Each structure stands twice: as C-alpha cells, then as structure tokens.
Amino acid sequence: MSLSLSADQPAVPDDADDGVWLECIECGETFAPFDDVRYTCDDCDSLLEVRYADLPTFDDFEGQGVWRYADALPFESGVSIQEGATPLYEAPRLEESIGVEALRIKHEGMNPTGSFKDRGMTVGVRVAEELGVGRLACASTGNTSAALAAYGSRGGMETLVLLPAGKVAAGKIAQASLHGARILEVDGNFDACLDIVQELAGQGEAYLLNSLNPFRLEGQKTIGLEILEGFLADYDTVPDRIVLPVGNAGNTSALYKAFRELVQAGELEEDDVPKLTGVQAEGAAPMVEAVENGADEVRRWEDVETRATAIRIGNPVNAPKALPGIRETGGTAVAVSDEEITEAQRDIAAEGIGVEPASAASVAGLRKLRAEGIVDDDERVACLTTGHLLKDPDAAAAAGSDPEPVPADTQGVLEHLQD
C-alpha cells in the first residue's frame, strides 16, 4: 500500500460499508469499518487508514466546524461540542521578525476543551457508539485525557485515562477529573502508559482512542482543510508550508492524509501541497532523528524530558504515516530547546495569543529554520498551535512577568510606577 502523493484512488473492496473501509498502510489488506473493534492490521499488525469510495471537493463542504467536512468523514454527524472552526490569526510582528512573506497562527487551543484533540474525539466517540462499546480509554500527556473525558461524558460513556505520574500539567488533570474520567497515574512515562492501554484494549477491556485509532485522525484532518480554506480566502493560494509540533505524529499524519485525498479528488495539485514541517523538543526528538538520518523507522527513546509536556513522547506511534508525509511534501523536521520554546511562547503572547509550551514549538521551529535558510523569505506559512495557555498555567506563570507588591493607596501605586 503506497502513501505517496501520486497514489491512485483505491478500488472499493467488498468490505466497504456505505463507501467506507479500513486499509492497511503496509500490506493493503482491507477490513469492514464497523463490524469489529480493530486498531491495526489483522495480518501484519501495521497501521490502518480509513478509505472512502467518493472523495469530496471544497464545493461539497457546508456548515461550520469539524462537521462542515462530513463528506470527508465516516458519518454525517458525531458526538459534538461545537469543535473546529478555530481562528487563523494574523501575527504581524512575528511575521516581520521571523522574516517570511506571510505567517498565520492556527490556534487549536480555541476548541471546547482547549486543544486539537476535540476534533478526533467527535469522530472517535461516534465510532464507539456505532461499535456498541461501553468504556473508552486512552494514554495521555494531558490533552487527550481532557478531550476523551469531555466527549465520553457527552456521549454517556465511561472513560478511563492513564497518565504518567507527576508529568501532566494540573489544568489537564482537572479537566479529566471534572468530566468524570477514572484517572490512573502510572509509575512510568507516556509510552509506558500507551503500552498498557493498548494491552487493555487488545483484551477487550476498553475502546482505545489514542491516535493509533485510525478514526481519530479523520477528525484531525479537518485542521488541514480549514487552513487551506483560510489561505485560499485571504491569499487566493494555499500555504507553502505548515509547521506543527510533533508528539505522537497524529496531526502530521492526518494533514498529509487530507492533502492526499484532495490530490486524488483533483482539487489540489501535487506541487501545491504544503511542506509539512515537524518540530520536537530536543529532549524528545525521535522523529527529527529519523528525518535527519534518512531512516525508514523511528528509534524509540526510552528517556525523554522537556517542559513542553504535551510532546514529551519517545515513541510516536504514527511515525509510519508521518515520515512519508514529511518527505513526500518536501518538508523537514527540527528540534528546538526548551529555552527556544519559552521564548516563542512569550513572542506569541505578545501578539495576544495564549498557547501552552508545546504549541509554541511550531513558531520556535520556524524561527530556527528561517535563520538556517531552510525556510525562504517568500514563503507563506501556517504555524499550528495545539493547546491553550491555560492548559499549563504553571508554565505560563514561569514564562511571564512576576507580580509586583504595592501599597493599598493611589499615591503609593503612582510612586511605584514612577520608580
């Protein structure tokens, strides 16, 4: 099975249900989408993708939010909390200081639970309903657990989340807790949590809604569709490059799939597909290592550390989908330091846009690539920011200015301001 941009639209197999089926990205085996719970290929255990008999064009989309793109999704509607339709902010000072033709910030922190994960959950929980499962589960660095808990409660389902103990921002744990999830703190890192929850799912104890689940990435495709429509409306062209943080590499995979489907539908030329450019923290950069070394596979990093908790992942499960996405689009991957991430977080905040540390990695990476001459000054670029500032208030407070004590009288305040 080819993940090439030039791959033809596949023939519809007998397994298809109303024009939808699952297909292995390695051996090409196909499966009915909703007959059984399935996350990987029965034959070779490789990743699956959702396929469609009919691929839409931009003219087929109507409405607002994720479900505007229902013709590119498995259902007409899902378990929804009005996710999607997030802002594509202008950032003129950043645009000038970095030195590109145009820079826009796609702020996924403006989704209902404060991150892009809501897009995947509105589809994933709807699939869970179709399959008739009762308990949902995920491993999480925080944002997935918040989204799963909210959408699970919206759908009336039990939710179970596994978190690495002491490694998740308090705001994210609070969300999962308030939305009624059962929270298990694991004595290990995120990758250990994912190993456990995959085993639980394999034993039928829960329905897995990490990005290993191919249906979750279908919702995340809509980020790319919104970016393209926004650029077409404002610039009459698509962006030259999309820069995004990389943790489990789900968004890189999802955006690449969205663009492949537009190419197959005749709606986007191969040469016009934006360069997908991944950014990781230096302390958790297995994807960058693979891209720089020209490797076909990612080497698992057992020890990862970064203040950008949402991308503190050493074994990105979607690497087999994301690596072709970066290479086929002419993109690249870059690692940035925690200090560069914090600087970018402050600079984004100076534009009035509040993001958590992992989100700022995209801007930090763009700045580094522009300084190295890998990004040209005539490029139009979208930077994806994946989560809201309030997801990690401690990190925001550490990056911001300190409160200044003053007396409880006007004259004392004026004197302090003059000093």
Side-chain angles (χ1 to χ4, degrees), residues 58-71 76 229:
F58 286 119
D59 290 339
D60 295 315
F61 302 141
E62 59 181 9
Q64 190 175 27
V66 166
W67 294 101
R68 164 178 171 77
Y69 305 102
D71 284 349
E76 287 299 310
E229 287 192 317

Side-chain angles (χ1 to χ4, degrees), residues 228-240:
L228 295 197
E229 287 192 317
F231 268 72
L232 287 167
D234 292 346
Y235 305 107
D236 199 31
T237 186
V238 299
D240 299 298

